[in-house]
């Protein structure tokens, strides 16, 4: 792997901390500051809203001024989010907490583009491995994010989570420094092209391969976010587990999301993308079965571990498959649309998790995910019926 890929791994390990940080404390601090319990998970959902709102501007800017400058801007937004969150803790204002979540989400929209930058820095045959390597940075973020969040969570804290948010700003500053010094735009294999080139979007979207790729990432992300967002609240408020147990489950879950990246890029080449996606669907179904069968610590832990593995297989599979359906000149439009679908679905899932948990309980919440998994299975089947083998898919670079 070239240096650019490893720089992106390191930057992702730090910049991605915003996600597990807010997943862990967002609903807890939200419960402290929100005017009603139903709004407790709103900060977690607003992270994804910020991501969705920033995807189109981020890809538009990348197409015009290059990836590196936008990556630096994304790290700055993460730093600003930490400062706003600290101010929310200081003042006790729920509105500022929500603003910090939205600004943090805009930074994450750029972080999610790291995988495409890595894929464009290597030969086409290594694209899956490059994307998977970058996702490995999430292993560090899975541990570091909740640890940073816990710095200011002690009972003796006069301003709960103030220290946590300031520490998050420092972590984002370190990511900014790594990108500024280490990333080389000139090392990208796919160089910047004139904006607006390529086929009409309608023609691109007529390819069933595109729908299979986008549904893998979008449905995989939505189901994962839906269940993960509700887990800390379900464990602490409904099942009677303590905060440390919830933190451990979230940390191990996020590690399970990224640890398979050690082999998932290799699996895309050896067993093929369709089998990887099928394994991801089976892992999700196993998660739902375990989660619905009990509320002990081990039920939560086992279910969330399977949820993480299933997400990785679907997300890496969809990300690797997507470039086979577009040409180089079309990449920013298709990548932007893909991430709007992915994180728009995730935002809807995260925003609805708190309300559905209150209405249906934990067992009912996890069953809501089943129809969406069936939908992806149908879209994947349509792609395979139309194209027979992954190699027969339309390769936009031919």
């Amino acid at each position: 792997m070239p240096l650019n890929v490893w720089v992106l791994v390191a930057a992702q390990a730090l910049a991605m901390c915003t996600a597990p940080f807010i997943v862990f404390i967002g609903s807890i601090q939200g419960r402290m500051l929100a005017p009603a319990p139903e709004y407790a998970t709103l900060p977690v959902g607003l992270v994804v809203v910020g991501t969705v709102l920033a995807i189109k501007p981020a890809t538009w800017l990348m197409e015009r001024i290059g990836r590196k400058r936008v990556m630096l801007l994304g790290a700055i937004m993460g730093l600003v989010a930490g400062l706003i969150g600290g101010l929310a803790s200081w003042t006790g204002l729920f509105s500022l907490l929500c603003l910090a979540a939205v600004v943090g989400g805009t930074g994450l929209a750029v972080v999610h583009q790291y995988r495409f930058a890595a894929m464009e820095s290597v030969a086409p045959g290594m694209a899956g491995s490059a994307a998977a390597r970058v996702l490995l940075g999430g292993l560090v973020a899975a541990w570091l994010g909740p640890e940073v969040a816990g710095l200011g969570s002690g009972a003796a804290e006069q301003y709960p989570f103030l220290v946590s948010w300031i520490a998050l700003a420092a972590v984002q500053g370190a990511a900014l420094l790594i990108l500024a010094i280490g990333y080389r735009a000139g090392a990208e294999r796919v160089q910047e092209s004139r904006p607006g080139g390529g086929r009409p979007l309608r023609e691109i979207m007529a390819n069933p391969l595109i729908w299979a790729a986008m549904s893998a990432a979008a449905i995989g992300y939505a189901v994962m976010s839906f269940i993960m967002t509700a887990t800390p609240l379900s464990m602490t408020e409904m099942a009677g587990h303590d905060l440390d147990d919830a933190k451990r489950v979230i940390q191990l879950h996020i590690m399970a999301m990224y640890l398979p990246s050690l082999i998932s890029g290799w699996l895309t080449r050896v067993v093929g993308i369709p089998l990887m996606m099928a394994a991801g669907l089976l892992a999700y179904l196993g998660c739902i079965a375990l989660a619905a069968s009990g509320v002990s610590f081990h039920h939560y832990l086992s279910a969330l571990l399977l949820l993480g593995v299933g997400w990785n297989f679907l997300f890496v599979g969809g990300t690797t498959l997507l470039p086979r359906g577009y040409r180089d000149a079309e990449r920013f439009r298709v990548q932007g649309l893909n991430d709007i679908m992915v994180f728009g679905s995730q935002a809807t899932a995260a925003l609805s998790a708190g309300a559905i948990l209150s209405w249906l309980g934990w067992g009912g919440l996890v069953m809501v995910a089943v129809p969406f998994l069936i939908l992806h299975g149908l879209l994947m089947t349509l792609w395979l019926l139309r194209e027979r083998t992954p190699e027969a898919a339309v390769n936009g670079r031919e």
Side-chain angles (χ1 to χ4, degrees), residues 197-270:
R199 299 166 292 170
L201 193 58
R202 179 181 299 179
E203 181 181 342
I204 298 169
M205 296 302 294
N207 186 353
L209 180 151
I210 292 287
W211 287 102
M214 289 187 176
S215 70
I219 292 175
Y221 232 120
V223 171
M224 183 278 297
S225 179
F226 185 61
I227 295 175
M228 179 182 67
T229 300
T231 295
L233 208 55
S234 174
M235 289 187 70
T236 58
E237 299 290 331
M238 297 180 173
H241 298 284
D242 61 33
L243 191 61
D244 283 341
D245 283 344
K247 181 176 82 169
R248 192 175 306 114
V249 166
I250 292 298
Q251 283 179 310
L252 291 173
H253 158 70
I254 300 176
M255 291 184 70
M257 288 172 60
Y258 296 108
L259 189 60
S261 296
L262 290 168
I263 62 167
S264 54
W266 173 77
L267 286 175
T268 60
R269 302 193 304 272
V270 175

Side-chain angles (χ1 to χ4, degrees), residues 21 49-51 58 74 79 118 138 151 164 184 192 207 209 221 223 253 273 285 328 398:
F21 178 96
V49 171
T51 301
L79 190 156
L151 291 176
S164 306
R184 296 289 181 266
E192 304 303 328
N207 186 353
L209 180 151
Y221 232 120
V223 171
H253 158 70
I273 293 173
L285 292 174
D328 288 343
E398 289 181 350

Side-chain angles (χ1 to χ4, degrees), residues 82-99:
L83 297 178
I84 296 174
L87 186 60
S89 300
W90 180 273
T91 61
L93 291 176
F94 183 65
S95 58
L96 281 178
L97 178 63
C98 292
L99 178 61

Side-chain angles (χ1 to χ4, degrees), residues 26-27 30-31 34-44 94 98:
S27 60
R31 176 64 68 91
E38 290 78 12
Y39 299 119
T41 61
L42 184 60
V44 180
F94 183 65
C98 292

Side-chain angles (χ1 to χ4, degrees), residues 130-187:
R133 288 290 188 280
V134 171
L135 291 181
L136 275 175
L139 275 174
V140 178
W143 171 83
L144 185 60
E147 290 297 327
V148 170
L151 291 176
S153 62
E157 293 287 338
Q158 183 179 2
Y159 301 103
F161 302 113
L162 172 60
V163 175
S164 306
W165 284 101
I166 299 302
L168 178 66
V171 169
Q172 297 294 323
L176 175 66
L177 189 62
I178 288 172
L179 288 169
I181 296 174
Y183 190 81
R184 296 289 181 266

